[in-house]
Each structure stands twice: as C-alpha cells, then as structure tokens.
Amino acid sequence: MKILILGSGQVGSTIAQELAAMPNHDVTIIDTDEAALRNTGSRLDVQTIVGNGSSPMILEQAGAADTDMLLALTRNDETNLVACKLAAELFNIPQRIARVRSVDYLEYGQDESKGLDADKSLSDSLNAFAITDSIHPEHLVTEHLVGLLNYVRALQVLPFANDKVRLVVAQAKAGDGIIGKTIETLVALLPENTDCQICSIYRGNRLIVPQSDTVIQEGDEIGFAVEAQSMATVMYVLFHYKQSNHRLIIAGGGNIGYRLAKRLEDKFNIKIIESNAARAEWLAENLDNTLVLHGSASDEDLLKTEYIDEIDVFCAITNDDENNIMSSLLAKNLGAKRAISIINRSRYVDLLTGNQIDIVVSPHQITIGSVLSHVRRGDIAAVYPLRRGTAEAIEAVVHGDRHTSSLVGRRVDEVKWPAGCHIAAIVRGDEVIMGRDHSQILQDGDHIVFFVSRRRVLRELEKLIQVKMGFFG
C-alpha cells in the first residue's frame, strides 16, 4: 500500500514509524519543516519531501496519482482539508483521512439528532472537502476526560463496541479491600450477573499475566474488562468507590475546558479558572451551571480562596505544559484529592506518570490511537495505546466463515494466539462475554477486545483477523 502523510510532527512521525515497520508499505512524508523531515528520514525507511501538502504540485511530486491513502495530519486544518479535496478531485486517492482541530468543521451541518458519533457520520462542512474520515483531537480528548471524571479512581476508561464494554485501568492503593486477595476471590465477590475480566497487572514496569491465584499488591496497576452497565458496581466492589457529586476545578477554559464543563455541569459542581478576561466572560455567558473565575490556576491565594482542599478533582487542561504541571502539583500540595493534567510533550508524560500527578493525559497518544484504527490491517474498529505506547488495547471485528477466516467457526482455545495477546472480552450483538470463556465458538460479526502486551506481535494478530480472498469471491 502506498501511503502519503502530511505533517512530520509527533503524530505524523509516530504513524510513519508504525507504517514503515509493516511489510509492503511505501510511505512518503510531506512537511514544510526541513529539519524535522531530515530527523524523521534518518530514523525511518520513508521518503521525505519538503513543501506544502496543500499544493497540487507537491502532491504530484510525492506520487499522489498512484497513492492508496492520504493521512493529512498537519496542525493546520485548512491545509489538511484542502489536501483531501485535491486528493479526491485531481488524484483519485481512495482513502482521505484528515486531522481536524476546529469544532466548527466538526459541528457545522452535523445531524444533531444522531449525535457526534452516530455511525461516525461526517458533517456537511467536512463532506464538502471530500474526506472519507476525520480525526478530531479535541473531541477525542474531551471524551477521554469525561470517562475519567465519571470514575476518578480509574487511570484510563476505554470504550469498545459502541461502549457496550470498557477496558478500565486502576491502581490498588493502601486501604483498598482488594490488596492481599486473589483474583478468584475478587471475582467471587461480584454480585450475580455481574462479571469482569482482569487481563493485566503491572507491578512497577513488570507485566504479570493474571492467574486465578494471583494476589493483588499495593501499587499494582490493574487492567480489566467490564460490561459498561456494570462498571459502577464493579468499581464499588473492587475499590469501594461510589460515584457522587464531585467538586471539580478545571484550569483552562479553551475548547476542551468549555466542552468538558458543558458535558458535566449538570452532574458535577464545576469551577473554571481562565486567565483571559474576554474568554472568561464568554464562558460565563455560555455555561449555565458553572462558576467561571478570572485568574491564574497557579495563584496559591486564588486556590485557597476557592477551597482547593475540598476539591475532588483538579483538571489542568491549558495549552501550556509547564502551567499544567505546576498548577497540578500546587493543587495537590494544597489538598486537592486528585489531579489530572494534559501534557503534550512525550518526555514529560514519561517523567510524570505515576508520580504526584495522578493521571497524565497525552492528546498525541489519544490521536495516534484513533489514526491507527484506520491504518491497521483487518477490520480494526479501535486502537488505544497503553503504558506509554508499549502495549495496546485493540477492538477487532471478525468476518467470514470457517473456510475464509482463521477465527470464525473455531473455539477460542483452538486458535493459536500470538504470545502476549489476550482476549479481554467478546461482544456478540448485545451480549458481552468475558475473555476467560475459552469454550466460545467465534462467530461472524463478533467484536473481540484484545489486550496486547507485546506490540511486535501485532502483525501476527492482524493476519489472523484478515479474511481470505475467497471471502470476496
């Protein structure tokens, strides 16, 4: 497959690295930053072209006429959209995926009765540029934060199969009832018709593959699959965590801060701290049940005045990494129970994860996961990087029959799964089946949620998922 990538920033270069490692992929990157291209080209087996990706001459030079997929991933929406339009009209590129940051493009002409995610339908404004699919970082980050804030004991809440099942990552802390108990004992504590599948335990940086007699220790990072409607029950049984009306301070009233408050203001007691006076005034006019404060989130006196020691969650989501880090550390030091911080620089993410800031959210990792779901082989419905990208959670849809598929018509324990690949759950229609049931016979249309601890086995997994040529005959 010939793939053309616009943008060699963190997202573009990471996607290029993924694709370059796959066999039979011819990858070309276009960017105006010559130094960034030189750096990427020295590390990866890819072609690089200096220029503007929205220029038809540059696209032609990059071989757009025989390209199979365009990934427009620059930080400029207009460049991405114009490139997709040219790719469709002039070069007939079949797949045209654009990274779009502005909410206006996402929402203008959207069928409000269906919601933003219904059938992943595109708005009229996006259809006008002939894109086949779009990636919206701010929307993705907002949804990710909503999932975390609904269950603040969780480090990650990842939805699969239209949110029928979720993969949750949470840490065992001092005082939790699960410490010292075996997995078999924990599962037995769940009420009737409620189940979960513990699919990973990280003790420090060491992965422990869960067995029935595995004992949970303080500090363990536990990943488990659970039916969405049972999540509150499971969180209460495992962590004695009960959802209540949380008190939340959001530091930063940009697009993500506004959308987050709008989503949650009827459920949480929310305050937003915004440093720009005009933006603060706009927020006050457009939010109904949120208190808007004009000031700096790193102002100790302001935080004390707003009773930071009584706040359940402090969420720092400005565009400045340093401000987010310092305000989060200050909030924790002054008594906030938990702190969530958006961090864009990947090195900062690695340094801060697991330290004083409870949850570090990387917009780039979330965006990369969304892009990967489009470029992976087989019918991959969702991809989420875990453990700073060293592991992944993947949702795949299996198709065909016993003759055209390596999976359909076979028992789970019949299949030779790649080492490091574990089934977390199977979703069949409205039924959620936990991954420990190895007697299940896989059926056409099943959604399988995998936990993959070794990313190098992804190619083997993709081959298993793919249907054979006879399926199309």
Side-chain angles (χ1 to χ4, degrees):
M1 179 184 285
K2 186 168 183 179
I3 301 171
L4 187 55
I5 299 175
L6 308 187
S8 63
Q10 189 169 345
V11 174
S13 60
T14 302
I15 296 300
Q17 183 175 346
E18 286 281 332
L19 294 171
M22 298 180 186
N24 304 317
H25 276 24
D26 181 0
V27 179
T28 301
I29 307 176
I30 298 174
D31 201 310
T32 55
D33 188 336
E34 188 172 356
L37 282 179
R38 192 182 306 113
N39 179 49
T40 303
S42 66
R43 294 184 296 106
L44 306 175
D45 183 19
V46 297
Q47 299 176 21
T48 60
I49 294 178
V50 179
N52 191 320
S54 61
S55 161
M57 298 294 289
I58 294 294
L59 289 173
E60 183 179 49
Q61 182 184 343
D66 60 349
T67 291
D68 301 296
M69 178 186 289
L70 172 71
L71 294 172
L73 304 175
T74 75
R75 295 180 61 84
N76 184 280
D77 288 353
E78 287 68 32
T79 297
N80 296 338
L81 293 172
V82 169
C84 286
K85 183 67 171 177
L86 293 175
E89 299 292 336
L90 300 182
F91 303 106
N92 199 29
I93 297 177
Q95 288 182 275
R96 304 169 298 277
I97 300 168
R99 176 189 184 187
V100 183
R101 306 177 76 200
S102 170
V103 177
D104 294 343
Y105 290 118
L106 172 62
E107 296 182 347
Y108 185 83
Q110 177 77 42
D111 187 340
E112 294 183 3
S113 65
K114 293 181 179 179
L116 291 178
D117 291 321
D119 298 325
K120 297 188 178 179
S121 58
L122 299 173
S123 65
D124 292 343
S125 56
L126 292 176
N127 279 321
F129 289 96
I131 70 174
T132 56
D133 216 334
S134 58
I135 308 295
H136 300 274
E138 290 184 349
H139 176 62
L140 292 169
V141 172
T142 302
E143 292 303 305
H144 186 78
L145 289 170
V146 167
L148 290 174
L149 289 168
N150 279 324
Y151 299 93
V152 294
R153 274 300 305 269
L155 300 175
Q156 286 183 292
V157 181
L158 309 176
F160 295 96
N162 294 319
D163 203 23
K164 290 187 179 72
V165 65
R166 294 171 182 167
L167 185 68
V168 182
V169 180
Q171 190 173 41
K173 295 193 171 184
D176 285 343
I178 62 174
I179 294 174
K181 290 187 172 68
T182 65
I183 290 176
E184 184 177 35
T185 302
L186 293 176
V187 173
L189 292 174
L190 296 173
E192 190 176 355
N193 299 322
T194 302
D195 198 2
C196 76
Q197 170 76 35
I198 297 178
C199 45
S200 69
I201 297 174
Y202 278 93
R203 192 163 289 162
N205 288 320
R206 182 167 64 94
L207 171 66
I208 297 171
V209 178
Q211 307 294 332
S212 61
D213 59 352
T214 301
V215 177
I216 304 297
Q217 296 182 13
E218 181 181 345
D220 283 355
E221 196 173 289
I222 303 162
F224 62 92
V226 60
E227 194 169 0
Q229 63 188 20
S230 301
M231 182 170 169
T233 302
V234 172
M235 288 294 287
Y236 179 73
V237 172
L238 297 186
F239 301 98
H240 296 294
Y241 168 75
K242 189 174 182 179
Q243 179 68 25
S244 60
N245 290 323
H246 289 294
R247 289 155 296 189
L248 169 65
I249 285 183
I250 298 174
N255 288 335
I256 295 175
Y258 165 69
R259 294 178 71 174
L260 188 61
K262 197 72 173 175
R263 284 284 303 275
L264 298 175
E265 64 178 349
D266 292 332
K267 189 176 181 181
F268 289 16
N269 181 350
I270 299 179
K271 299 175 184 178
I272 287 186
I273 300 175
E274 170 55 46
S275 59
N276 182 283
R279 179 65 179 179
E281 187 175 339
W282 183 91
L283 289 168
E285 292 173 356
N286 287 274
L287 292 168
D288 301 319
N289 300 315
T290 298
L291 176 63
V292 180
L293 305 168
H294 174 226
S296 169
S298 57
D299 182 339
E300 183 175 346
D301 291 334
L302 175 60
L303 294 179
K304 286 180 178 178
T305 302
E306 296 305 323
Y307 302 102
I308 188 67
D309 57 327
E310 297 179 4
I311 293 297
D312 293 296
V313 186
F314 181 89
C315 193
I317 52 178
T318 73
N319 290 323
D320 188 296
D321 284 355
E322 285 77 11
N323 279 347
N324 290 342
I325 293 167
M326 295 309 298
S327 62
S328 295
L329 292 175
L330 178 60
K332 284 284 287 187
N333 185 257
L334 293 174
K337 293 180 181 65
R338 286 177 77 76
I340 298 175
S341 184
I342 283 183
I343 304 295
N344 287 289
R345 298 188 190 180
S346 58
R347 288 190 179 181
Y348 282 9
V349 173
D350 292 338
L351 284 172
L352 294 166
T353 298
N355 292 313
Q356 199 167 350
I357 298 176
D358 297 285
I359 302 174
V360 176
V361 175
S362 167
H364 287 136
Q365 283 294 327
I366 295 170
T367 304
I368 287 163
S370 184
V371 176
L372 287 176
S373 68
H374 292 88
V375 302
R376 285 275 163 79
R377 293 176 175 176
D379 197 344
I380 305 294
V383 177
Y384 295 100
L386 301 169
R387 302 289 300 180
R388 278 86 71 195
T390 59
E392 286 189 356
I394 298 173
E395 176 191 346
V397 187
V398 294
H399 293 295
D401 54 32
R402 195 172 177 88
H403 302 292
T404 59
S405 168
S406 300
L407 300 178
V408 176
R410 292 166 174 81
R411 284 169 50 108
V412 170
D413 54 12
E414 262 188 82
V415 180
K416 187 177 180 181
W417 301 102
C421 173
H422 311 282
I423 295 180
I426 300 169
V427 180
R428 184 172 298 149
D430 291 328
E431 181 185 9
V432 176
I433 304 159
M434 289 301 140
R436 75 173 70 86
D437 187 355
H438 292 175
S439 66
Q440 284 293 321
I441 297 176
L442 299 174
Q443 299 179 17
D444 177 53
D446 280 356
H447 288 244
I448 308 177
V449 180
F450 295 98
F451 170 77
V452 182
S453 62
R454 301 175 182 175
R455 299 184 74 244
R456 63 177 178 270
V457 305
L458 289 171
R459 311 296 168 259
E460 299 174 49
L461 181 59
E462 288 168 359
K463 288 179 183 177
L464 274 178
I465 296 164
Q466 286 178 313
V467 292
K468 301 169 185 174
M469 289 304 295
F471 179 73
F472 302 99

